[in-house]
Amino acid sequence: MKIEFAPLNIPLRRRLQTAAVLQWVFSFLGLAQCCLAAFVLLALSDWWMVALLYAGWLWLDWDTPSSGGRRSHWVRSWRVWDYFRDYFPLTLVKTVDLDPKKNYIFGFHPHGLVSSSKSSLSYLVSRPEGGNIAVIAVGGAPEALDARPGALTLQVRNRKGFIKLALKHGAQLVPVFSFGENELFDQMENPTGSPLRKLQNRLQSIMGVAMPLFHARGVFQYSFGLMPYRKPIHTIVGKPIAVIQTPSPSSEDIKSLHKVYLQSLTELFEQHKHTYGLSEHQHLTFI
């Protein structure tokens, strides 16, 4: 394999963008393991009191992720996120203004590699003051195993939990499609029925998360590695679907709203696909 190295005269701005994405890749793939190793080492050393204090704080803080998290405006204002955005670049396009007095559930397509918690979603969209948005990757772990360039197949036909949640809390449903999301990584061939896919499905059933074998580029070369490709991403936020709060929705209520959601998602995709490089014959496939 011929390796294509990055030129030496790359502008500092682009190097900082690469560094911003590199820290995200490390956080996603290795930060938890490093923190666990550090905790164990502290617990077995003369600094065991630090590990004990951390364990106490972890116990007290256990419900925070499912109770709205702990938003830090200081962290959100870091310059690193600007460099992260500009690496691809990322563009968020809203088609209509949203009412800040209402709560929303954004159905995000296609699936990236992030999971959702039902308790966390419920907490956000049940707040009476409104102004909260819960984003859920509807396709779940199975869809991540098919995430590769050109993929337009969405696992959504039997995904109705978010519909029930929207009805239960009266949250407005918003379809969201991210053009370019699947172009960031390649994935090893794993067709349905293959040994690799069977192993991935088995691991998913045990651990609850998908294990896609993805690859893209490196830090100093463009031929292989775990850094995403520099491909533009355009995330289109559709028009909200009005939802009437139904504390105990029937299966017919869920089925009806789910049908409306799929139609809205299809219309959003068809309306914008030409703008972002897709041809007339390319359509979404729901499974």
Side-chain angles (χ1 to χ4, degrees):
M1 180 180 65
K2 183 179 179 181
I3 300 178
E4 181 185 0
F5 288 97
L8 296 176
N9 59 344
I10 291 180
L12 177 61
R13 171 180 53 83
R14 286 177 64 89
R15 293 187 183 277
L16 291 174
Q17 292 169 2
T18 300
V21 174
L22 179 61
Q23 64 83 27
W24 173 84
V25 172
F26 166 74
S27 297
F28 180 73
L29 295 178
L31 184 59
Q33 294 87 332
C34 290
C35 290
L36 179 60
F39 175 79
V40 173
L41 290 174
L42 285 171
L44 298 177
S45 70
D46 293 337
W47 293 84
W48 61 268
M49 184 59 73
V50 176
L52 182 62
L53 290 173
Y54 175 76
W57 176 82
L58 183 64
W59 181 76
L60 292 172
D61 194 60
W62 191 259
D63 293 330
T64 297
S66 59
S67 303
R70 186 183 294 104
R71 180 176 298 183
S72 170
H73 292 288
W74 176 63
V75 173
R76 287 160 63 90
S77 67
W78 286 357
R79 180 65 172 166
V80 66
W81 310 123
D82 294 330
Y83 288 123
F84 182 95
R85 175 200 61 208
D86 295 338
Y87 173 91
F88 299 98
L90 293 162
T91 305
L92 182 67
V93 180
K94 69 174 184 176
T95 56
V96 296
D97 291 328
L98 300 180
D99 186 347
K101 296 181 180 180
K102 296 181 179 179
N103 293 317
Y104 299 87
I105 293 179
F106 281 15
F108 185 87
H109 310 269
H111 194 296
L113 304 169
V114 181
S115 62
S116 303
S117 163
K118 180 180 179 180
S119 59
S120 179
L121 291 173
S122 296
Y123 178 88
L124 287 174
V125 299
S126 64
R127 310 306 294 168
E129 68 274 12
N132 292 304
I133 296 175
V135 182
I136 179 170
V138 177
E143 189 173 292
L145 296 178
D146 288 320
R148 52 175 45 86
L152 291 174
T153 299
L154 305 181
Q155 300 243 2
V156 67
R157 284 202 182 277
N158 296 319
R159 302 279 175 165
K160 299 177 181 178
F162 72 109
I163 300 290
K164 182 177 181 180
L165 192 69
L167 285 166
K168 182 178 180 180
H169 298 290
Q172 310 300 288
L173 273 175
V174 181
V176 179
F177 193 88
S178 194
F179 291 91
E181 182 84 10
N182 280 338
E183 317 306 313
L184 302 183
F185 293 97
D186 292 311
Q187 187 174 171
M188 288 185 63
E189 290 297 325
N190 59 340
T192 301
S194 65
L196 176 57
R197 188 57 168 262
K198 290 179 180 178
L199 175 61
Q200 289 174 320
N201 289 337
R202 178 60 177 166
L203 291 174
Q204 177 192 317
S205 65
I206 296 173
M207 299 184 295
V209 294
M211 297 292 288
L213 297 181
F214 62 91
H215 58 92
R217 52 157 291 187
V219 178
F220 303 110
Q221 45 75 30
Y222 304 137
S223 302
F224 61 90
L226 298 179
M227 289 282 290
Y229 294 121
R230 278 183 179 266
K231 299 289 179 110
I233 302 174
H234 302 277
T235 302
I236 315 300
V237 180
K239 180 181 178 181
I241 301 169
V243 177
I244 299 175
Q245 186 171 11
T246 310
S248 300
S250 66
S251 58
E252 189 59 37
D253 293 330
I254 296 172
K255 181 179 179 180
S256 177
L257 183 56
H258 186 258
K259 182 178 180 180
V260 173
Y261 178 83
L262 293 185
Q263 181 62 35
S264 297
L265 175 60
T266 300
E267 292 175 356
L268 179 70
F269 175 82
E270 293 293 331
Q271 180 181 355
H272 294 276
K273 68 179 184 180
H274 301 103
T275 304
Y276 302 110
L278 276 69
S279 64
E280 180 62 34
H281 72 275
Q282 291 179 284
H283 306 284
L284 294 178
T285 300
F286 299 145
I287 61 175

